[in-house]
Amino acid sequence: QAQLQESGGGSVQAGGSLRLSCAVSGYVVKRFCMAWFRQRPGKEREEVARIDRDGRATYADPEGRFTISQDNAKNLYLQMNNLQAEDTAMYYCAADFSGVSCAPALGSWGQGTQVTVSS
C-alpha cells in the first residue's frame, strides 16, 4: 500500500511563497493521478490542483498563483506564490493509485501540512 507524506508548510506573511512537497512511498503503478486539496478554517475540503495520469495539470485558482508539479519519482509539489490570508489552510495531497481513473479524493491521503498566512 503506497503512502503519502506532506511537508513544507509553515507561516508566511501575505505576498510570500511556500513550496509544499508530497513524498510517495511504497509500490505504485507507472501512471496515476494526484492532487492537492486544502481545508480552510470553517470550510469544506476543496481541490486546489491536480495532475492526471498523462501529466496534465489543472487548477482551481484562475489567478495562476499555484503551480503543481511531479518529479520522476512521482513525488508531488505545489509552488504557492503571492500567498494571501485566505490561503491559510491545512493542505493535503491525495492520489488515485488505480491507474485507470482520476479520482484522488476517493483514494489515498496524506496527513496534511499546515499553511498559515498573516496579513
Side-chain angles (χ1 to χ4, degrees):
Q1 180 76 19
Q3 294 186 328
L4 306 173
Q5 180 63 59
E6 303 93 336
S7 62
S11 297
V12 296
Q13 292 195 338
S17 299
L18 282 174
R19 186 177 188 239
L20 305 183
S21 300
C22 176
V24 180
S25 61
Y27 174 77
V28 295
V29 297
K30 187 176 181 179
R31 297 166 64 214
F32 56 92
C33 178
M34 296 189 75
W36 284 100
F37 290 79
R38 69 183 181 185
Q39 187 162 19
R40 293 184 279 186
K43 304 285 187 180
E44 293 189 353
R45 194 174 295 184
E46 60 184 347
E47 184 173 316
V48 174
R50 70 167 54 191
I51 285 185
D52 68 14
R53 293 178 297 131
D54 296 316
R56 290 182 295 246
T58 56
Y59 299 91
D61 179 6
E63 297 181 16
R65 297 182 297 125
F66 297 170
T67 302
I68 191 171
S69 62
Q70 195 172 35
D71 63 20
N72 290 336
K74 302 301 183 183
N75 299 313
L76 191 69
Y77 303 94
L78 185 69
Q79 178 67 42
M80 304 187 295
N81 298 325
N82 191 24
L83 284 162
Q84 302 300 314
E86 56 265 32
D87 296 314
T88 294
M90 183 71 78
Y91 285 73
Y92 301 88
C93 67
D96 178 347
F97 291 122
S98 70
V100 296
S101 62
C102 190
L106 302 178
S108 300
W109 289 79
Q111 296 298 308
T113 186
Q114 177 68 38
V115 171
T116 303
V117 185
S118 57
S119 57

